[in-house]
Amino acid sequence: MVQSGLSQPEKVIGSSYNHAKFKLLTPSENSTKTPEICHAETIIVGGGVIGCAIAFELASRGQEVLLVEQSEIASGASCAAAGMLAAESEDFAHPFMAKAAHESRELLHKHKEQISAITGMDIGLRRSGFITPFRSYSDLSKYKDRRNTTSGVQQLWWDRSTVQREALWLNRDTYGAYYRSLESEVLPVSLTRAYARSAEMMGARILEGVQNVRLVVDNHGVRGIKTAKGEVCCKHIIIAAGLQGEQLMHQVGVALPSSPVKGEIMAVRFPIDQAGGRPDRTVYAEDVYIVPKANGEVWIGATSLPGRKDHSVSANSVQRLLGAASYWIPGIKEADFVRAWAGIRPSTPDGLPYIGKYEQIPGLYTAYGHFRNGILLSAITGRWIADLLEGKRAEEIGIEALSPERLNRKGVML
């Protein structure tokens, strides 16, 4: 096995994430009177990119927010993501998600400017575009047939001579490629921590290391949470805890299933004397993606292993990823291996995330199940949840298809 680098898969650019702890009083710390029950208007459970983006959006609207995370900010799936904002290159199963992806990418670009102004932090945004290359005309035809339509996708076709002119580092035998100039990517940990820090500087409170979160509800709706650190009462609870979201919802008798899908990624770095072979644009091929990052590394991914929850990285996976990547970019054979890591992504039965208000329990909201598009959909998810909390209806926002109650309405066995 290759040692997993999950705990620190990227260098954070810019200011460090250094928040003040929000302390909950426990009986032992306040034994002379009834333990204090802290209050927050809205509690977000989960400190990944989705939870932090929601905190950012709510705080920017002046809402009182407490975010609790069982480990550290950006320590789960957000820590292991590749950070691609592939709104046009990704093959979405649902047209609704393709539209949402475009809106979210545009919104995230705007957030980048806000985050920089508020915190000075750099999220590692690169807007160099993505290349989808093909070995032959046959491969191109199969790709077109599977994608069915390219309506709304802004792309250019590069023939062999154009590829050789525009991407000298790409395999010289490449038949042709689509170039999508609007695609971009970020450093995912940097983005997640920047969202958290920005939210905090706008008034949100963030608490890490919160274990044993229990949801407190009654016949009137949510009342708060109990944790190993104490209790907090609130008006709204937002479940943005990725794979742990299903367990949290089970606490209140709600079945919203999600399945783990393990993905393995690796990073290489080109020596200075081999810099000419380093890609300057992301390659989003059928069998691999290759992403040059703002921290100087090139990330290569990813495997897809349904049902796997371990964070090990197999030598076989590294070999497969390197083989696929070095076919498209021969210079990768001479690059220095940096590390490999794995992340566990939550998938839902119908491929759509659970985003919305759970009507049967007033005050309870969900925002998990984004599978491989959590980074891309983080900005729009934050906006949707904030709109719902301000009183807008799902139908008004246009997200009724994402309702956490949709599977019951469809008769899906849970």
Side-chain angles (χ1 to χ4, degrees), residues 139-397:
D139 286 350
L140 172 63
S141 297
K142 292 176 183 177
Y143 177 83
K144 287 181 176 180
D145 290 343
R146 193 186 68 257
R147 297 271 293 198
N148 190 25
T149 178
T150 57
S151 176
V153 175
Q154 298 189 42
Q155 60 188 12
L156 295 174
W157 172 251
W158 285 357
D159 59 20
R160 187 188 304 271
S161 62
T162 305
V163 168
Q164 293 180 358
R165 183 177 68 251
E166 297 291 338
L168 295 175
W169 37 266
L170 205 59
N171 188 322
R172 308 303 284 176
D173 292 330
T174 300
Y175 169 77
Y178 283 124
Y179 173 58
R180 301 176 177 116
S181 63
L182 298 181
E183 300 283 56
S184 56
E185 47 90 7
V186 298
L187 286 167
V189 170
S190 296
L191 172 66
T192 306
R193 291 178 176 174
Y195 267 142
R197 181 58 176 158
S198 299
E200 187 185 46
M201 293 183 71
M202 291 186 289
R205 294 172 292 181
I206 295 175
L207 185 65
E208 296 174 298
V210 179
Q211 301 292 322
N212 304 322
V213 173
R214 301 289 300 179
L215 308 185
V216 180
V217 304
D218 60 21
N219 291 335
H220 301 287
V222 304
R223 287 294 174 261
I225 61 171
K226 291 182 179 181
T227 79
K229 291 180 178 290
E231 301 181 12
V232 191
C233 59
C234 66
K235 184 177 180 180
H236 309 117
I237 297 176
I238 302 164
I239 305 300
L243 277 173
Q244 286 70 49
E246 179 179 0
Q247 300 168 18
L248 289 164
M249 295 299 288
H250 266 302
Q251 293 178 9
V252 293
V254 179
L256 294 183
S258 63
S259 302
V261 181
K262 175 180 171 180
E264 298 157 299
I265 307 179
M266 59 175 294
V268 300
R269 185 182 292 273
F270 282 70
I272 294 177
D273 59 352
Q274 298 290 334
R278 183 182 189 274
D280 57 8
R281 297 181 178 95
T282 291
V283 173
Y284 198 102
E286 289 285 272
D287 54 349
V288 70
Y289 55 73
I290 307 157
V291 192
K293 307 303 290 189
N295 63 2
E297 296 175 349
V298 176
W299 293 3
I300 304 169
T303 60
S304 184
L305 304 171
R308 292 280 297 274
K309 299 177 71 173
D310 62 282
H311 289 92
S312 62
V313 181
S314 72
N316 181 62
S317 293
V318 171
Q319 183 180 37
R320 187 186 73 76
L321 291 173
L322 278 175
S326 61
Y327 171 84
W328 291 115
I329 304 177
I332 282 178
K333 295 176 183 178
E334 307 301 323
D336 296 330
F337 176 83
V338 178
R339 66 182 179 278
W341 65 95
I344 315 301
R345 302 161 295 189
S347 174
T348 66
D350 63 359
L352 294 172
Y354 301 121
I355 302 177
K357 182 178 182 180
Y358 193 79
E359 300 288 349
Q360 299 178 49
I361 303 178
L364 183 60
Y365 300 78
T366 61
Y368 71 92
H370 293 73
F371 187 33
R372 55 186 283 165
N373 291 303
I375 301 296
L376 172 58
L377 296 173
S378 59
I380 197 68
T381 300
R383 172 176 284 184
W384 287 336
I385 293 294
D387 285 346
L388 289 170
L389 262 63
E390 289 184 345
K392 292 185 179 180
R393 298 169 61 248
E395 293 79 8
E396 182 181 357
I397 302 170

Side-chain angles (χ1 to χ4, degrees), residues 84-119:
M84 294 183 295
L85 308 180
E88 291 158 347
S89 301
E90 181 77 358
D91 190 9
F92 295 99
H94 303 271
F96 169 83
M97 297 308 294
K99 180 177 181 294
H102 281 81
E103 294 177 358
S104 192
R105 184 183 63 189
E106 181 179 355
L107 182 59
L108 199 153
H109 289 173
K110 294 178 181 178
H111 285 174
K112 184 261 185 187
E113 302 302 325
Q114 293 176 259
I115 287 169
S116 179
I118 294 170
T119 69

Side-chain angles (χ1 to χ4, degrees), residues 394-411:
E395 293 79 8
E396 182 181 357
I397 302 170
I399 60 169
E400 60 270 25
L402 307 181
S403 167
E405 297 169 293
R406 68 182 182 272
L407 297 183
N408 284 331
R409 293 198 295 265
K410 293 176 181 177

Side-chain angles (χ1 to χ4, degrees), residues 49-90:
V49 70
I50 299 297
C52 291
I54 294 170
F56 170 84
E57 186 70 36
L58 289 174
S60 71
R61 301 187 188 195
Q63 300 293 319
E64 182 189 18
V65 181
L66 169 65
L67 184 150
V68 296
E69 160 58 36
Q70 67 173 351
S71 182
E72 297 179 346
I73 295 298
S75 60
S78 300
C79 175
M84 294 183 295
L85 308 180
E88 291 158 347
S89 301
E90 181 77 358

